[in-house]
């Protein structure tokens, strides 16, 4: 049986100042349905690039390798179609959209995805009811719906807004790019609980993090270490604890 | 460079056959005709007209727009105005058709007076002729030479008029017509007027209005002008405003229609504490040109001026903003600020921005800034990564930029609702054409 998400030998580069910079140098990774995997690694190892490429950002050029998601060629799909088929990226730095009302944005997104999934669209009332319910579980003030998307949000509010979107869009694969960074312990728990609530045999997650702390709340099935555009080591949850104590250096040397 | 080698008088020839003979008309017209015959109308070699090509006026001479017209035609056009049925028809209003006041279509409230007179007799209306001495602007001269009627709106001391609608309709013929109406708005001490002007029309025409505005101490004029002129129309508009102590002039221009729209605005902050806000949005597509050229003159101390001009341009559209802040000697504690923001939606669209600060006082705060950009790739990707299709994402971001600019509009209620509706409608239409 083919895996839920299958990344094989993925290579990618970016053009910066006229020069090609290789960022991914053959990433291979399988995530079965229902599992939570973690990627750790030093800054600049290509973790965010991987998440962007999976979500469909076209600033990168994939030079070889392929990605299958639920049996489909993921790299051939438009970003909006990837979202509809169940992929969600929680941005490391959520984008501000001045002049775009958050409630309007969320409803547009939810209905766009529902349409593509062949579900009925939600009217304003039904949508608000649902959104308010999720807000409560994330300890968010209802007024975030009235504000412009992420504009003037604190770091924590932005991250929670990502979890809010994730919950409403009901993905089958969530990629969380340092969603815990810059959060205090309480906020981190709220975020982790947000993800835990979605956990089911039909939901997988790829979590990019630097902190063991998050993994206390969000226990992963597998942990991968990425450096210089490759996955050099994989293991169980204990690998994250080991890295937390010893740093990346011993693992990078061994590679 | 074959553009600039054409003789200056070329554009003037479109009107020359109608210029009155010198000295057979009054003194103002005689002076204006002399000025025009001497200087002609500008081409792109003239600094102030570098970015706006008057060849858009075409090659066929303009006939006089007629005072007599088909009333059904005017009525029909009136009903095509946005939100006419819901909002506009209920406002007190004065309607001007082909440059002439139309009492039948108008509904003037008791709170102000509106009078008209043949242009040559204007000296009776409070010596406004004085401002014309030393004409420096070609379309001021053209208006003076060809104006036939002056429309004079007067709000007396302390009267708060509230929202008034002004509609200008031009009924273009098969042959191009031109109209040169002259408006004078006078607000006495402490008076208050919110004016919403809508310019609309059909056919080919050249609209050359001049507005002279006098705002007395502690008086406030809020003026929103919506240009929805015909797609083949040229507008060459001149505003001269003079604001006395603690008076406020708040102007907002929204340009959507017209092939060529040039808006010249001169504001004189004449006494201590006067305020001017000259904001605007030009949302243009196809081959449209929109030009806002302003001079804000701080003559007295503690005056404030604010300007933000936004351009949203697609296809081959061109936006121009030339803004000058002039601070005269003795205008201490001046606070002047100018901002230009442009969103270019096509690689062929163009924006030209020229800020100018000329300062002769030493204790002033003046600033200017400009941003130009396409739609933000990261913002687009963010929306698409949430399942929103690319064209919808573009639509959302353009709408956000446009509606965000309405935050400059301090008017609430009717005016804001209208602007919002107008912008959304034209966004929908334009995006539809794109796809």
């Amino acid at each position: 049986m083919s895996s839920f998400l299958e990344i094989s030998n993925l290579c990618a580069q970016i053009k910066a100042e006229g020069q090609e910079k290789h960022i991914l140098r053959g990433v291979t990774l399988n995530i079965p349905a229902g599992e939570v995997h973690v990627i750790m690694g030093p800054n600049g190892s290509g973790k965010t690039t991987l998440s962007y490429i999976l979500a469909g950002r076209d600033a990168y050029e994939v030079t070889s390798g392929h990605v299958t998601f639920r049996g489909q060629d993921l790299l051939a799909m438009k970003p909006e179609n990837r979202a509809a088929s169940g992929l969600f990226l929680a941005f490391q730095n959520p984008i501000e959209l001045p002049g775009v009302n958050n409630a309007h944005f969320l409803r547009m997104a939810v209905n766009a995805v529902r349409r593509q999934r062949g579900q009925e669209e939600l009217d304003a009332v039904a949508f608000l009811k649902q959104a308010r319910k999720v807000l409560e579980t994330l300890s968010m003030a209802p007024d975030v719906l009235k504000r412009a998307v992420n504009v003037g949000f604190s770091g924590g509010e932005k991250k929670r807004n990502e979890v809010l979107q994730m919950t409403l869009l009901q993905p089958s694969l969530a990629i969380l790019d340092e969603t815990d960074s810059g959060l205090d312990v309480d906020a981190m728990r709220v975020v982790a609980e947000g993800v835990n609530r979605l956990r089911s045999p039909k939901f997988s997650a790829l979590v990019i993090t630097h902190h063991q702390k998050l993994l206390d709340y969000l226990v992963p099935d597998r942990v991968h270490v990425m450096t210089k555009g490759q996955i050099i080591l994989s293991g169980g949850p204990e690998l994250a604890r080991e890295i937390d104590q010893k740093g990346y250096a011993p693992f990078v040397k061994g590679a | 460079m074959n553009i600039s080698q054409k003789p200056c008088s070329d554009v003037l020839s479109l009107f020359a056959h109608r210029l009155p003979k010198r000295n057979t008309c009054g003194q103002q017209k005689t002076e204006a005709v002399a000025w025009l015959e001497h200087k002609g109308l500008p081409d792109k070699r003239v600094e102030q007209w570098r970015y706006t090509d008057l060849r858009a006026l075409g090659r066929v001479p303009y006939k006089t727009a007629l005072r007599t017209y088909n009333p059904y035609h005017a009525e029909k056009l009136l009903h095509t105005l946005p939100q006419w049925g819901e909002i506009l028809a209920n406002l007190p209003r004065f309607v001007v058709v082909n440059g002439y006041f139309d009492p039948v279509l108008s509904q003037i409230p008791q709170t102000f007076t509106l009078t008209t007179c043949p242009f040559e007799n204007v000296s009776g209306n409070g010596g406004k002729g004085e401002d014309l001495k030393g004409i420096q602007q070609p379309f001021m001269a053209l208006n003076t030479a060809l104006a036939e009627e002056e429309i004079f709106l007067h709000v007396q001391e302390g009267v708060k008029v509230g929202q008034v609608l002004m509609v200008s309709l031009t009924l273009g013929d098969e042959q191009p017509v031109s109209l040169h109406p002259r408006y004078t708005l006078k607000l006495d001490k402490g008076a208050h007027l919110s004016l919403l002007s809508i310019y609309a029309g059909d056919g080919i025409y050249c609209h050359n209005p001049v507005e002279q505005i006098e705002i007395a101490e502690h008086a406030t004029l809020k003026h929103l002008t919506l240009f929805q002129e015909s797609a083949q129309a040229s507008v060459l508009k001149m505003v001269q405003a003079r604001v006395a102590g603690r008076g406020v002039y708040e102007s907002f221009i929204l340009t959507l229609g017209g092939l060529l729209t040039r808006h010249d605005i001169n504001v004189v902050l004449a006494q201590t504490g006067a305020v001017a806000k000259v904001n605007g949005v030009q949302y243009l597509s196809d081959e449209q040109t929109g030009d806002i050229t302003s001079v804000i003159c701080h003559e007295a101390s503690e005056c404030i001026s604010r300007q933000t001009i936004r351009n949203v341009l697609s296809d081959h559209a061109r936006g121009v903003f030339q803004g000058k802040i002039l601070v005269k000697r003795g205008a201490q504690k001046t606070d002047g600020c100018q901002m230009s923001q442009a969103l270019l939606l096509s690689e062929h669209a163009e924006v030209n921005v020229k800020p100018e600060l000329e300062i002769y006082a030493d204790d002033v705060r003046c600033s200017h800034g400009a941003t130009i950009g396409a739609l933000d790739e990261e913002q687009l990707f963010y929306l698409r990564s949430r399942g929103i299709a690319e064209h919808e994402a573009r639509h959302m971001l353009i709408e956000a930029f446009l509606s965000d600019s309405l935050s400059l509009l301090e008017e609430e209620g009717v005016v804001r609702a209208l602007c919002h509706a107008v912008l959304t409608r034209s966004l929908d239409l334009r995006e539809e054409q794109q796809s």
Side-chain angles (χ1 to χ4, degrees):
Chain A
M1 195 185 89
S2 82
S3 193
F4 182 68
L5 178 75
E6 217 176 275
I7 305 172
S8 41
N9 199 28
L10 188 65
C11 295
Q13 61 186 25
I14 191 167
K15 268 204 179 124
E17 289 156 12
Q19 288 198 324
E20 280 150 8
K21 206 175 144 199
H22 298 277
I23 304 180
L24 300 187
R25 301 160 181 267
V27 175
T28 297
L29 179 66
N30 289 326
I31 303 181
E35 290 196 2
V36 172
H37 286 213
V38 169
I39 294 188
M40 304 179 89
N43 291 328
S45 57
K47 305 184 297 295
T48 294
T49 299
L50 176 64
S51 70
Y52 267 150
I53 287 174
L54 294 178
R57 180 97 159 91
D58 60 9
Y60 305 92
E61 189 194 341
V62 174
T63 49
S64 65
H66 60 264
V67 182
T68 341
F69 175 54
R70 303 170 78 180
Q72 285 180 288
D73 178 4
L74 186 73
L75 299 180
M77 295 162 76
K78 290 180 181 173
E80 53 267 39
N81 300 337
R82 299 183 196 198
S85 65
L87 187 142
F88 180 89
L89 168 65
F91 282 55
Q92 186 178 359
N93 298 306
I95 309 295
E96 297 185 5
L97 304 175
V100 179
N101 171 272
N102 206 16
H104 175 62
F105 160 68
L106 292 167
R107 198 174 139 222
M108 288 287 287
V110 166
N111 281 337
V113 162
R114 288 180 74 94
R115 252 194 327 269
Q116 294 180 74
R117 290 177 188 164
Q119 297 166 321
E120 216 174 295
E121 292 186 32
L122 294 182
D123 64 29
V125 178
F127 166 77
L128 276 178
K129 210 172 141 192
Q130 202 181 342
R132 290 216 182 92
K133 222 161 67 190
V134 180
L135 281 174
E136 211 171 300
T137 64
L138 295 173
S139 319
M140 292 173 82
D143 80 322
V144 296
L145 292 178
K146 293 183 191 155
R147 291 156 66 185
V149 181
N150 294 327
V151 178
F153 283 33
S154 70
E157 280 177 318
K158 283 183 182 171
K159 297 295 172 82
R160 282 180 212 217
N161 205 32
E162 294 291 289
V163 180
L164 169 65
Q165 293 165 42
M166 177 177 76
T167 311
L168 288 171
L169 292 176
Q170 302 176 326
S172 51
L173 173 68
I175 303 164
L176 292 103
D177 188 2
E178 295 195 25
T179 303
D180 55 330
S181 67
L183 295 186
D184 60 41
V185 184
D186 293 331
M188 197 183 284
R189 189 164 48 220
V190 169
V191 167
E193 281 168 0
V195 180
N196 279 333
R197 256 191 295 276
L198 295 175
R199 280 183 101 155
S200 81
K202 286 181 180 163
F203 174 82
S204 307
L206 179 61
V207 180
I208 297 169
T209 183
H210 284 295
H211 306 289
Q212 164 60 29
K213 195 94 215 140
L214 178 72
L215 305 181
D216 288 345
Y217 305 113
L218 187 63
V219 182
D221 298 290
R222 296 284 287 168
V223 175
H224 310 277
V225 179
M226 188 166 174
T227 68
K228 294 182 184 159
Q230 285 181 323
I231 297 209
I232 53 157
L233 191 65
S234 299
E238 70 288 347
L239 183 54
R241 275 191 292 277
E242 226 176 305
I243 288 169
D244 197 41
Q245 286 161 12
K246 300 181 189 164
Y248 293 115
F251 303 99
V252 175
K253 259 182 215 152
Chain B
M1 290 305 284
N2 52 2
I3 302 165
S4 52
Q5 269 153 30
K6 292 202 165 193
C8 296
S9 56
D10 249 13
V11 182
L12 185 60
S13 69
L14 300 174
F15 304 95
H17 59 291
R18 283 163 52 203
L19 293 179
K21 288 226 158 46
R22 282 197 237 174
N23 299 322
T24 62
C25 50
Q27 196 195 339
Q28 277 189 54
K29 281 190 185 278
T30 297
E31 280 173 16
V33 171
W35 194 95
L36 286 169
E37 287 175 351
H38 176 60
K39 299 233 181 187
L41 293 178
D43 63 19
K44 295 176 85 173
R45 284 176 297 187
V46 177
E47 178 62 24
Q48 287 288 73
W49 294 85
R50 259 180 80 177
Y51 305 114
T52 296
D53 193 346
L54 289 173
R55 286 180 306 170
L57 290 172
R59 290 164 177 274
V60 183
Y62 287 95
K63 299 200 303 181
T64 309
L66 295 178
R67 189 189 278 271
T68 51
Y69 53 85
N70 181 344
Y72 297 108
H73 191 174
E75 188 93 27
K76 209 175 121 198
L77 200 53
L78 207 54
H79 281 86
T80 63
L81 296 183
Q83 313 240 306
W84 177 256
E86 298 130 78
I87 299 176
L88 295 184
N90 299 319
L91 292 174
R93 65 173 181 261
F94 64 100
V95 179
V96 176
V97 184
N98 286 356
Y100 302 98
F101 173 65
D102 184 319
V104 179
L105 294 173
S106 301
Q107 290 169 355
I108 311 280
Q110 308 267 306
T111 43
F112 63 85
T113 58
L114 191 123
T115 50
T116 63
C117 63
F119 179 68
E120 281 293 25
N121 297 343
V122 292
S123 54
N125 278 337
K128 287 165 302 297
E130 273 177 50
D131 288 342
L132 284 175
K133 287 228 173 87
I135 295 166
Q136 283 174 354
Q137 209 274 357
F139 288 96
M140 182 65 161
L142 190 68
N143 175 279
T144 306
L146 295 175
E148 301 203 2
E149 182 170 274
E150 186 188 29
I151 296 171
F152 179 59
L153 190 159
H154 184 196
V155 186
Q156 285 185 331
E157 186 172 334
V159 178
K160 309 252 186 288
V161 177
Q163 190 67 56
V164 173
L165 172 66
M166 176 265 188
V167 182
S168 159
L169 302 176
T170 306
L171 313 174
D173 212 344
E174 281 106 52
Q175 276 185 299
V177 295
S178 78
L179 51 156
H180 310 265
R182 174 67 63 102
Y183 299 92
T184 298
L185 277 64
K186 190 165 186 287
L187 275 71
D188 290 346
K189 200 170 166 185
H192 196 293
L193 172 66
S194 292
L195 185 61
L196 164 60
S197 297
I198 303 181
Y199 286 68
D202 54 23
I204 307 172
Y205 55 90
C206 172
H207 194 168
N208 169 220
V210 167
E211 263 170 26
Q212 295 206 278
I213 298 170
E214 278 181 61
I215 297 170
E217 293 91 348
H218 296 278
T220 297
L221 173 64
K222 296 184 174 188
H223 191 186
L224 182 130
T225 311
L226 169 59
F227 288 102
Q228 286 216 302
E229 300 274 24
S230 132
Q232 295 136 296
S234 307
V235 180
L236 301 155
K237 186 180 180 194
M238 176 87 205
V239 176
Q240 285 195 323
R242 193 174 176 84
V243 190
R246 311 272 166 220
V248 177
Y249 173 57
E250 241 183 68
S251 145
F252 191 99
I253 301 155
L254 186 49
T255 307
L256 296 166
L259 181 61
L260 166 72
T261 306
R262 161 87 171 207
H263 213 107
D264 268 276
I265 305 166
N266 289 350
V267 183
V268 176
L269 300 170
Q271 291 173 349
T272 303
V275 177
K277 293 183 186 169
V278 179
N279 297 322
V281 176
Q282 306 190 106
Y283 182 28
L284 308 173
S285 61
D286 299 319
E287 305 281 333
Q288 287 183 290
T289 297
D291 176 342
I292 295 175
T293 295
S294 63
V295 180
I296 313 273
C297 177
H298 288 253
E299 281 189 350
S301 60
E302 292 169 50
C303 293
I304 299 171
S305 67
R306 292 280 178 276
Q307 265 184 292
T308 299
I309 304 296
R310 281 195 168 187
N311 278 290
V312 180
L313 308 168
S314 54
D315 306 325
H316 286 81
R318 177 200 283 262
V320 180
F321 174 37
Q322 310 183 90
K324 177 171 175 172
I325 304 177
L326 171 62
V327 181
K328 294 221 171 154
R329 187 160 296 146
Q332 301 296 11
K333 308 275 181 211
T334 283
D335 180 357
C337 188
Q338 192 190 85
M339 189 68 201
S340 164
Q341 295 164 327
L343 178 58
L344 300 183
L345 299 173
S346 122
E347 50 188 294
H348 304 293
E350 185 178 319
V351 66
N352 294 284
V353 179
K354 194 178 76 180
E356 220 179 320
L357 301 180
E358 199 176 317
I359 302 172
Y360 298 100
D362 54 14
D363 182 14
V364 302
R365 206 172 69 185
C366 277
S367 66
H368 63 82
T371 62
I372 298 173
L375 283 180
D376 188 291
E377 287 294 328
E378 278 204 311
Q379 293 182 338
L380 271 175
F381 174 63
Y382 191 62
L383 289 167
R384 294 179 70 189
S385 77
R386 271 40 178 163
I388 297 167
E390 189 177 5
H391 70 275
E392 258 180 306
R394 283 175 54 87
H395 191 288
M396 281 174 84
L397 292 178
I398 301 168
E399 189 181 15
F401 187 83
L402 288 170
S403 68
D404 195 44
S405 49
L406 294 184
S407 62
L408 298 167
L409 199 64
E410 286 179 24
E411 295 281 337
E412 290 294 330
V414 175
V415 170
R416 190 184 282 257
L418 174 87
C419 291
H420 201 266
V422 165
L423 282 176
T424 320
R425 192 173 74 166
S426 66
L427 171 63
D428 289 344
L429 281 174
R430 286 174 197 192
E431 290 291 301
E432 225 167 76
Q433 280 173 359
Q434 296 276 318
S435 57

